[in-house]
Amino acid sequence: MTRHLFYDDYSEGAHPALLEELARCNDDQQPAYGGDEHCRVAGGRIAALFDRPVDVHFVAGGTQANQVCLAAILRPHQGVIAPVSGHIAIHEAGAIEATGHKIIAVPAADGKLTPALIDEALLQHESEHTVMPRAVFLSQATELGTVYSRAELCAVAAHAHAHDLYVYLDGARLAMALASPEAGMTFADIADAGVDMLYIGGTKNGALCGEAIVILDRTLGDGFRYQMKQRGALLAKARLFGVQFRRFFDEDGLWFALGARANAQARRLAGGLESLGVELQHPPVVNQVFAILASDVAETLSAEWGFYVWERLPGRRLLIRLVCSWATPDEAIDAFLESLRRHL
Amino acid sequence: MTRHLFYDDYSEGAHPALLEELARCNDDQQPAYGGDEHCRVAGGRIAALFDRPVDVHFVAGGTQANQVCLAAILRPHQGVIAPVSGHIAIHEAGAIEATGHKIIAVPAADGKLTPALIDEALLQHESEHTVMPRAVFLSQATELGTVYSRAELCAVAAHAHAHDLYVYLDGARLAMALASPEAGMTFADIADAGVDMLYIGGTKNGALCGEAIVILDRTLGDGFRYQMKQRGALLAKARLFGVQFRRFFDEDGLWFALGARANAQARRLAGGLESLGVELQHPPVVNQVFAILASDVAETLSAEWGFYVWERLPGRRLLIRLVCSWATPDEAIDAFLESLRRHL
Amino acid sequence: MTRHLFYDDYSEGAHPALLEELARCNDDQQPAYGGDEHCRVAGGRIAALFDRPVDVHFVAGGTQANQVCLAAILRPHQGVIAPVSGHIAIHEAGAIEATGHKIIAVPAADGKLTPALIDEALLQHESEHTVMPRAVFLSQATELGTVYSRAELCAVAAHAHAHDLYVYLDGARLAMALASPEAGMTFADIADAGVDMLYIGGTKNGALCGEAIVILDRTLGDGFRYQMKQRGALLAKARLFGVQFRRFFDEDGLWFALGARANAQARRLAGGLESLGVELQHPPVVNQVFAILASDVAETLSAEWGFYVWERLPGRRLLIRLVCSWATPDEAIDAFLESLRRHL
Amino acid sequence: MTRHLFYDDYSEGAHPALLEELARCNDDQQPAYGGDEHCRVAGGRIAALFDRPVDVHFVAGGTQANQVCLAAILRPHQGVIAPVSGHIAIHEAGAIEATGHKIIAVPAADGKLTPALIDEALLQHESEHTVMPRAVFLSQATELGTVYSRAELCAVAAHAHAHDLYVYLDGARLAMALASPEAGMTFADIADAGVDMLYIGGTKNGALCGEAIVILDRTLGDGFRYQMKQRGALLAKARLFGVQFRRFFDEDGLWFALGARANAQARRLAGGLESLGVELQHPPVVNQVFAILASDVAETLSAEWGFYVWERLPGRRLLIRLVCSWATPDEAIDAFLESLRRHL
């Protein structure tokens, strides 16, 4: 096995079944801008999963999804409460601020908002001299590889609604979250919990590119296509997304299977690490493994394998992040472990 | 031949050669966000076509390309001069204004800016009470199916530079323009004429999706990737664009061939219309045919074929727009003409 | 009489009665940010003039008023229809676009919107590829010195509402308009006609600075103070505006008297010009006089007096604009006319 | 002595000398938009204080000054580092974000940035996935009533420049800071330390309204008046600011005297509190006094006197903020102390 990248879950192309489907549907003419048959069917399948009428729109990437959705939810003077580790808070180069909105970042060690953290933000934003909080930003799974349990999601959403805050969920890795027993929830549970808008991640779960925005509180959907266009998010050949998401949610449940596969590979990797006596920060909940290595070991390994150093720890140790995906071969994991074994 | 859509040049999927290439390169792992080998090679090929060092970035669609590029060129108080028919001026749902910039729209019957039109705009924008014009927006080919000749492009660019205006070119249909004898220019000619930034269209020329932004005045490239990210335009799997554009500019000149093919099909259609005695607004310059039909004929036709009514003319006549593409089969054109013949 | 400036109606300081009032109320402590007694009383007087409950807010200038109000009315994908000569369309350096909104500018020779002009704009903005028109911008008086009659205002407002467009009115020179028989309307008439939001001009009618925003459709007032703050428009010592507007609308009707005075001085000037055989573009409707002079005469005059050349006319003639105000002394007008007489 | 408000330093009107000057200059006609003689002279006096050529512009309020200045300094993808207690970070209702820029807020217990805090922010913002830090925001005095010493200011500015960050200073209470021995600096020292742009506060130091923006790095001044106009900050009668700031910096040093007076009154109040055995959080550095009172005492007092509760402390105690100003009479302080004495 040659060098493998554990940097992220988007280092490969698309799952072959999606490419095949794109090739199969390639020739037929379809209306542009999401008015095509594929988008229609995919949207219907997604609505069925949520078990209620919803609006579905497709965009090319996650930052774009977050930007378009939050700009649609908020009026100019309103802001969104997010964990400091939230993707919008730190890793979108100011995409939300670019639409004029403040992100009210609150510390959340595990990447998850709680009613108490929301209260803290509300307390500091009580008058017209501050931004008016009007939404909360949740990620499921979070950027730190954790998930909200069903009870946690219900609690945080109920608290948000009680304070007139919309609930927006970034589902870049929703497939991994739904496959995780720690989360223990379905699409319908997410809707029942009170999430108002979310996007279902495609890119990190095997799509060539594409995310599905789902508007559960349909009053928020007014003018949405205008806003997509205005943000450069309304693609002419949106069929590209329709074909993939229709296939994702075909009878064989491909989208679910890929999320489960990513988690399973992470567990395989984590198990191997533990067998070698490597300390994990915590057992993997989704497809990310956080392992603690001596600095020199980690550095030697990084010459052969791709992964990110997450944090420098005391005692010349490093916390490294290893990400598995639907595409991670067993052989890559085994070879990595073997390589590590030699260096320990 | 069943019903065919002449609405636009993006009703089909991708050219098969691009899909094949995507499938061929699918499995290899690559750095994300455009740092991959495919984007690198594609960028190199594009630089070679311009015959000089350039910065190349890939984004998913044309509105996004225009938005990111103009926002990178302009400071907050500056605006861009564009023809009223320019894509940014009317068909992007305010994407440029959403970044805070005014479009100074000037009337241009044929969709083309001229030194005189630029002067008109400058005359009305002379103090800090107005927006400061700082760029001009050209489309090659234009939204009206016309092209700038080499002399026209040189004249307008020189005039712009003489007045401290950057020259930005929307090349959504650049393939058709470069294939058109009326334009009579190459990539290198565009650079020599003084264009400062442009995008090379993929979507309307057979790509699954994707446009290549080319920064000729590289001083404008500072911070560009940040701004792409901030506008939701930096895709994780930008390899998708790299693979396609590398293939587009492979030795067989696929990108050029598809543009030429679209024009040829438009000429075939135009010739057939003329044989039937149908009046054309003007002979097709690129891949759009503007034909004048009696209202009742046009309406009958529209039940079977897809096309847009462009304008209502006196005498119960309609100006209709028929767009051909790389994917338009001869049979579709012939069947359309036969259908029309029966209704005349 | 020395050189006098007829450039505009804001070349002097404040009307002495306002300064006196500022001095009289200077020492008492008041809550900041518009929560003071003066703003409260002024707001009450304004509501009484409109003869209905309204929200009143005070800001420092007209561009700011337009910016804050339109940003409060429009959602991100929506635009405002305005005459090309509208202040927001050409003389605010892109202040509206800076909040993300497109101005849909329509030609209006006399500076006034009509139902037909609105229809034209609507016709070109019918889908999500264009901005969604959601408001109309009227100026009373207009930037060209014309006014809407009561019938015209009713017609344009009714047409706007019928097409789901809010009606916003820029009242920078509302005092002059209300004093004009051609307009023939009161504050209450403006409300009855269906205007949804407006600002009552102070700066051009003798205030040191300050405009009063009046929200007639109070559903538009939600979050307004937040948005004022966010745009830098919520002044700590907003009492400055409260004191002036309370005084403006004191029993002696100062605000009305100053508007009438400005118009009267323009009529005096216009009468004098006609006596000298000078051609007027049209009789003055408010406080602006548009006169046609031979170029050499105008140039000689401009060495001694301040005025703007509005347009170059055929036959070596110039259209000049002379603006009178509450502060224009009879002596200045007489001396100007005498000076002109000598040069004719 | 009746009830007095210690809420802030802007509960009164203007210092009488400013009102007199406004009255004295009221009648002369002057060019609008800051082109007047008063603004020219005031600008010259300010340049003399800084002992170098600078650009000076006047705006109505502090939030507006911060918004216009930072928007002029930053390109779209760039952000500003500020303490969490910085006015822009929490008390401007998202005014900076409304121009598209992220504020990178760092914890600073005393309201002051340090090289170490800047490094922390830089460390988390290293790639195009994050905003690019490009400026630091300092307040002198800070929102917490502290000041930068000359050495601290030099250190933070030098560190900022070494990392390619512009230094912006919010001088809402600069008069109090310059009057404070703890700061120990002059206008020229601020320039020598490396501040690139600042505003000199008028509103909180006795102006009717108005702040003077000073551009020390004049390369940042390009297009500044356009941007003022675009943000609604270019007032027609900017003479209002010119007259006041010319008077502020007249030979009698009014501006300096008012700052010193505010500080002196705070010291008088603090001394009285200490005599009564009241604990101060720290001795007053400028014009704010932070005192610790038993909750019941504070609540009783608040029925008669105006002040803000700053924080709830353990043991049923409250930290209250008492602000003095140029206008605070000795009698008000004495009466407040007497009132407190009775309730202790």
Side-chain angles (χ1 to χ4, degrees):
Chain A
M1 185 71 198
T2 61
R3 181 172 195 275
H4 187 85
L5 308 180
F6 292 95
Y7 286 125
D8 52 52
D9 28 25
Y10 39 82
S11 287
E12 292 85 9
H15 187 274
L18 300 178
L19 279 187
E20 278 160 31
E21 195 65 10
L22 283 168
R24 199 180 63 80
C25 306
N26 190 53
D27 291 342
D28 66 312
Q29 289 191 308
Q30 289 283 340
Y33 301 108
D36 61 281
E37 182 64 10
H38 308 295
C39 285
R40 200 187 59 73
V41 171
R45 290 182 179 180
I46 289 171
L49 288 165
F50 281 101
D51 197 20
R52 71 207 66 198
V54 298
D55 290 348
V56 178
H57 304 279
F58 299 98
V59 299
T63 294
Q64 192 167 68
N66 289 337
Q67 185 182 52
V68 171
C69 288
L70 286 168
I73 290 172
L74 302 173
R75 293 194 57 222
H77 59 294
Q78 299 173 339
V80 55
I81 301 172
V84 289
S85 55
H87 205 258
I88 58 167
I90 182 71
H91 282 126
E92 298 191 353
I96 303 304
E97 290 86 356
T99 65
H101 300 289
K102 190 183 192 72
I103 298 166
I104 301 167
V106 294
D110 59 356
K112 297 193 280 182
L113 283 188
T114 62
L117 286 169
I118 292 173
D119 284 344
E120 228 173 80
L122 291 173
L123 198 65
Q124 295 191 310
H125 293 81
E126 289 187 315
S127 80
E128 68 250 19
H129 291 267
T130 68
V131 160
M132 177 192 281
R134 190 70 167 103
V136 297
F137 172 89
L138 315 177
S139 309
Q140 180 75 320
T142 73
E143 296 75 8
L144 305 183
T146 56
V147 296
Y148 290 85
S149 71
R150 187 141 61 122
E152 287 171 337
L153 184 65
C154 287
V156 80
H159 195 74
H161 285 170
H163 290 85
D164 222 15
L165 301 166
Y166 288 109
V167 180
Y168 174 74
L169 190 146
D170 177 330
R173 291 194 179 97
L174 189 55
M176 293 73 153
L178 294 197
S180 160
E182 281 85 349
M185 67 179 70
T186 64
F187 277 118
D189 291 335
I190 288 173
D192 290 342
V195 169
D196 297 300
M197 200 183 291
L198 77 152
Y199 83 83
I200 302 173
T203 300
K204 292 177 178 167
N205 198 36
L208 202 50
C209 75
E211 327 291 329
I213 292 169
V214 184
I215 305 178
L216 289 157
D217 177 345
R218 298 175 82 185
T219 63
L220 294 172
D222 186 44
F224 200 85
R225 280 173 61 84
Y226 281 88
Q227 295 200 28
M228 288 173 65
K229 180 69 185 169
Q230 179 192 29
R231 311 279 177 212
L234 192 69
L235 279 211
K237 294 184 183 170
R239 61 189 286 153
L240 160 65
F241 309 130
V243 169
Q244 292 180 92
F245 273 87
R246 204 201 56 205
R247 181 64 190 83
F248 263 150
F249 295 118
D250 223 334
E251 283 176 14
D252 66 357
L254 178 64
W255 185 84
F256 297 98
L258 296 183
R261 165 89 182 155
N263 289 3
Q265 296 307 79
R267 282 197 305 274
R268 180 191 185 102
L269 174 58
L273 289 167
E274 289 184 306
S275 302
L276 294 174
V278 171
E279 186 187 349
L280 301 184
Q281 194 192 37
H282 54 72
V285 175
V286 285
N287 63 324
Q288 305 181 25
V289 178
F290 292 89
I292 296 167
L293 294 178
S295 296
D296 56 347
V297 173
E299 273 149 31
T300 308
L301 265 184
S302 73
E304 296 167 59
W305 307 88
F307 55 82
Y308 287 113
V309 172
W310 204 249
E311 204 183 327
R312 304 198 163 272
L313 301 180
R316 312 190 64 129
R317 297 175 310 153
L318 296 176
L319 178 65
I320 68 167
R321 189 187 75 163
L322 300 157
V323 183
C324 293
S325 83
W326 60 277
T328 311
D330 290 353
E331 295 74 19
I333 294 171
D334 297 345
F336 174 81
L337 291 169
E338 174 56 23
S339 177
L340 172 57
R341 196 189 54 75
R342 283 200 310 272
H343 296 306
L344 282 179
Chain B
M1 186 68 198
T2 61
R3 183 172 195 273
H4 187 86
L5 308 180
F6 293 96
Y7 286 125
D8 52 52
D9 28 25
Y10 41 82
S11 287
E12 292 85 10
H15 187 274
L18 299 178
L19 280 187
E20 279 160 29
E21 195 65 9
L22 284 168
R24 200 180 64 79
C25 306
N26 191 53
D27 291 342
D28 66 314
Q29 287 191 307
Q30 289 283 340
Y33 300 109
D36 62 279
E37 181 64 12
H38 309 295
C39 285
R40 201 189 57 73
V41 172
R45 290 183 179 179
I46 288 172
L49 287 165
F50 280 101
D51 198 20
R52 71 206 68 197
V54 298
D55 290 347
V56 177
H57 304 279
F58 299 98
V59 299
T63 294
Q64 192 167 66
N66 289 336
Q67 185 183 49
V68 172
C69 288
L70 286 167
I73 291 172
L74 302 173
R75 293 193 57 222
H77 59 292
Q78 298 172 339
V80 54
I81 302 172
V84 289
S85 56
H87 205 257
I88 58 167
I90 182 70
H91 282 126
E92 298 190 353
I96 303 304
E97 290 85 356
T99 64
H101 300 288
K102 190 182 193 72
I103 298 167
I104 301 167
V106 294
D110 58 357
K112 297 193 279 182
L113 283 188
T114 62
L117 286 169
I118 291 173
D119 283 345
E120 229 172 79
L122 291 174
L123 198 64
Q124 296 191 311
H125 293 81
E126 288 187 315
S127 80
E128 69 250 17
H129 291 266
T130 68
V131 159
M132 177 193 280
R134 190 70 168 100
V136 297
F137 172 89
L138 315 177
S139 309
Q140 180 77 317
T142 75
E143 296 75 7
L144 304 183
T146 57
V147 296
Y148 290 86
S149 71
R150 187 140 63 122
E152 287 170 339
L153 184 66
C154 287
V156 81
H159 196 74
H161 285 170
H163 291 84
D164 221 15
L165 301 166
Y166 288 108
V167 179
Y168 174 73
L169 190 145
D170 176 331
R173 291 194 178 97
L174 188 56
M176 294 73 153
L178 295 197
S180 160
E182 281 85 348
M185 66 180 69
T186 64
F187 277 118
D189 291 335
I190 288 173
D192 290 341
V195 169
D196 296 300
M197 202 185 291
L198 77 151
Y199 84 83
I200 303 174
T203 301
K204 292 176 179 169
N205 197 38
L208 202 50
C209 75
E211 328 290 329
I213 292 169
V214 184
I215 305 178
L216 290 157
D217 177 345
R218 299 175 83 184
T219 63
L220 295 173
D222 185 43
F224 201 84
R225 281 172 62 83
Y226 281 89
Q227 295 201 28
M228 288 173 66
K229 180 68 185 170
Q230 179 192 32
R231 311 279 177 213
L234 192 68
L235 278 210
K237 295 185 184 171
R239 61 190 285 154
L240 160 66
F241 309 130
V243 169
Q244 292 180 91
F245 274 88
R246 204 201 55 203
R247 181 65 190 83
F248 263 150
F249 295 119
D250 223 333
E251 282 177 14
D252 66 356
L254 177 64
W255 186 85
F256 297 97
L258 296 184
R261 166 89 181 155
N263 289 3
Q265 295 307 80
R267 283 197 304 275
R268 180 189 184 102
L269 174 59
L273 288 167
E274 289 185 306
S275 302
L276 293 173
V278 171
E279 186 186 349
L280 302 184
Q281 194 193 36
H282 54 71
V285 174
V286 284
N287 64 325
Q288 306 182 23
V289 177
F290 292 89
I292 296 166
L293 293 178
S295 296
D296 56 347
V297 173
E299 275 149 29
T300 308
L301 265 184
S302 73
E304 296 168 59
W305 306 88
F307 55 82
Y308 287 114
V309 172
W310 204 250
E311 202 183 329
R312 303 197 164 272
L313 302 180
R316 312 188 64 129
R317 297 175 310 152
L318 297 176
L319 178 65
I320 68 168
R321 188 186 76 163
L322 299 156
V323 182
C324 293
S325 82
W326 60 277
T328 311
D330 289 355
E331 295 74 21
I333 294 171
D334 297 345
F336 174 81
L337 291 169
E338 174 55 24
S339 177
L340 172 58
R341 195 189 56 73
R342 284 200 311 273
H343 296 305
L344 283 177
Chain C
M1 186 69 198
T2 60
R3 184 173 194 272
H4 187 85
L5 308 179
F6 292 95
Y7 286 124
D8 52 52
D9 29 25
Y10 40 83
S11 287
E12 293 85 10
H15 187 273
L18 300 178
L19 279 187
E20 279 160 29
E21 196 65 10
L22 283 168
R24 199 181 63 79
C25 306
N26 191 52
D27 291 342
D28 66 315
Q29 288 192 307
Q30 289 284 341
Y33 301 109
D36 62 280
E37 181 64 12
H38 309 294
C39 285
R40 200 188 57 73
V41 172
R45 290 182 179 179
I46 288 171
L49 288 165
F50 280 101
D51 198 20
R52 72 207 68 199
V54 298
D55 290 348
V56 177
H57 304 279
F58 299 99
V59 299
T63 294
Q64 192 167 66
N66 290 336
Q67 185 183 51
V68 172
C69 288
L70 286 167
I73 291 171
L74 302 172
R75 292 194 57 222
H77 59 292
Q78 298 173 339
V80 54
I81 301 172
V84 288
S85 56
H87 206 258
I88 58 167
I90 181 71
H91 282 126
E92 298 191 352
I96 303 305
E97 290 86 356
T99 65
H101 300 288
K102 188 181 193 75
I103 297 166
I104 301 168
V106 295
D110 59 357
K112 296 194 279 181
L113 282 189
T114 62
L117 287 169
I118 292 172
D119 284 344
E120 229 172 80
L122 290 174
L123 198 65
Q124 295 191 311
H125 294 81
E126 288 188 315
S127 81
E128 68 251 18
H129 292 267
T130 69
V131 159
M132 177 192 281
R134 191 70 168 102
V136 297
F137 173 89
L138 315 177
S139 310
Q140 178 76 321
T142 74
E143 296 75 8
L144 304 183
T146 56
V147 296
Y148 290 86
S149 71
R150 186 141 60 123
E152 287 170 338
L153 184 65
C154 288
V156 79
H159 196 75
H161 286 169
H163 291 85
D164 221 16
L165 301 166
Y166 288 108
V167 179
Y168 174 75
L169 190 145
D170 177 332
R173 293 196 178 96
L174 188 56
M176 294 73 154
L178 294 197
S180 161
E182 281 86 348
M185 67 179 70
T186 64
F187 277 117
D189 291 336
I190 287 173
D192 290 340
V195 170
D196 296 300
M197 201 184 290
L198 77 152
Y199 84 83
I200 303 174
T203 299
K204 292 177 178 167
N205 197 37
L208 202 50
C209 76
E211 327 290 329
I213 293 169
V214 184
I215 306 178
L216 290 157
D217 177 346
R218 297 175 82 185
T219 64
L220 294 173
D222 186 43
F224 201 84
R225 280 173 60 84
Y226 281 89
Q227 295 201 27
M228 288 173 65
K229 180 69 186 170
Q230 179 192 31
R231 310 278 177 213
L234 192 68
L235 278 211
K237 294 186 184 170
R239 59 189 288 154
L240 160 66
F241 309 131
V243 169
Q244 293 180 90
F245 274 86
R246 204 202 56 203
R247 180 66 190 83
F248 263 150
F249 296 118
D250 223 334
E251 282 177 14
D252 66 357
L254 178 64
W255 186 85
F256 297 98
L258 296 184
R261 165 88 181 156
N263 289 3
Q265 296 307 80
R267 282 196 306 273
R268 180 188 184 103
L269 174 57
L273 289 167
E274 289 184 306
S275 302
L276 294 173
V278 171
E279 185 186 350
L280 302 184
Q281 194 193 35
H282 54 71
V285 175
V286 285
N287 64 325
Q288 306 181 24
V289 178
F290 293 88
I292 297 166
L293 293 177
S295 297
D296 56 347
V297 172
E299 274 149 28
T300 307
L301 265 183
S302 72
E304 297 168 58
W305 305 89
F307 56 82
Y308 288 113
V309 173
W310 204 249
E311 203 182 328
R312 306 200 161 270
L313 302 179
R316 313 190 62 131
R317 296 175 311 152
L318 297 177
L319 178 65
I320 68 168
R321 188 186 77 162
L322 298 157
V323 182
C324 293
S325 82
W326 60 277
T328 310
D330 289 353
E331 296 73 20
I333 294 171
D334 298 344
F336 174 82
L337 290 169
E338 173 56 24
S339 178
L340 172 59
R341 196 190 55 74
R342 284 200 310 271
H343 296 306
L344 282 179
Chain D
M1 186 70 197
T2 61
R3 181 173 196 274
H4 186 85
L5 308 180
F6 293 95
Y7 286 125
D8 52 52
D9 29 24
Y10 40 82
S11 287
E12 292 84 9
H15 187 274
L18 301 179
L19 278 187
E20 280 161 29
E21 195 64 12
L22 283 168
R24 199 180 65 78
C25 306
N26 191 52
D27 291 343
D28 66 314
Q29 288 192 308
Q30 290 283 341
Y33 301 109
D36 62 279
E37 181 64 11
H38 309 296
C39 285
R40 200 188 58 72
V41 172
R45 290 182 180 181
I46 289 171
L49 288 166
F50 281 100
D51 197 21
R52 71 208 68 199
V54 298
D55 290 347
V56 177
H57 304 278
F58 298 99
V59 300
T63 294
Q64 192 167 68
N66 289 337
Q67 185 182 51
V68 171
C69 289
L70 287 168
I73 290 172
L74 302 173
R75 294 193 57 222
H77 59 292
Q78 298 173 340
V80 55
I81 301 172
V84 289
S85 56
H87 206 258
I88 58 168
I90 181 71
H91 282 126
E92 299 191 352
I96 304 303
E97 290 86 356
T99 65
H101 301 289
K102 188 182 194 72
I103 298 166
I104 301 168
V106 295
D110 59 357
K112 297 194 278 181
L113 282 188
T114 62
L117 286 169
I118 292 173
D119 284 343
E120 230 172 79
L122 291 173
L123 197 65
Q124 296 191 310
H125 293 81
E126 289 187 313
S127 80
E128 68 250 18
H129 291 266
T130 69
V131 159
M132 177 192 281
R134 190 70 167 103
V136 297
F137 172 90
L138 316 177
S139 310
Q140 179 76 319
T142 74
E143 297 75 8
L144 304 184
T146 56
V147 296
Y148 290 86
S149 70
R150 186 142 60 123
E152 287 171 338
L153 184 65
C154 287
V156 79
H159 196 74
H161 286 170
H163 291 84
D164 220 16
L165 301 166
Y166 287 109
V167 179
Y168 174 74
L169 189 145
D170 176 330
R173 293 194 179 97
L174 189 56
M176 293 73 154
L178 294 196
S180 161
E182 281 86 349
M185 67 179 68
T186 65
F187 277 118
D189 290 335
I190 288 173
D192 291 340
V195 169
D196 297 300
M197 200 184 292
L198 77 152
Y199 84 83
I200 302 174
T203 300
K204 292 177 178 168
N205 198 37
L208 203 50
C209 76
E211 327 290 330
I213 293 169
V214 184
I215 306 178
L216 289 158
D217 177 345
R218 298 174 83 184
T219 63
L220 294 172
D222 186 43
F224 201 86
R225 280 173 61 83
Y226 281 88
Q227 295 201 28
M228 287 174 66
K229 180 70 185 169
Q230 179 193 32
R231 311 278 177 212
L234 192 69
L235 278 210
K237 294 185 184 170
R239 60 190 285 153
L240 161 65
F241 309 131
V243 169
Q244 292 180 91
F245 274 87
R246 205 201 54 205
R247 181 65 190 82
F248 263 150
F249 295 118
D250 224 333
E251 283 177 13
D252 66 356
L254 178 63
W255 186 85
F256 296 98
L258 295 184
R261 165 89 181 154
N263 289 3
Q265 295 308 80
R267 282 196 306 273
R268 180 189 185 102
L269 174 58
L273 289 167
E274 289 183 307
S275 302
L276 293 173
V278 171
E279 186 187 348
L280 302 184
Q281 194 191 37
H282 54 72
V285 175
V286 286
N287 64 324
Q288 305 182 25
V289 178
F290 293 88
I292 297 166
L293 293 178
S295 296
D296 56 348
V297 173
E299 273 148 31
T300 307
L301 265 184
S302 73
E304 296 168 59
W305 306 89
F307 55 81
Y308 287 113
V309 172
W310 204 250
E311 203 181 329
R312 303 197 165 272
L313 302 179
R316 312 189 64 130
R317 296 176 311 152
L318 296 176
L319 178 66
I320 67 167
R321 189 187 75 164
L322 298 157
V323 182
C324 293
S325 82
W326 60 276
T328 311
D330 290 353
E331 296 74 20
I333 294 171
D334 297 345
F336 174 82
L337 291 169
E338 173 57 23
S339 178
L340 173 57
R341 196 188 55 74
R342 284 198 311 271
H343 296 306
L344 283 177

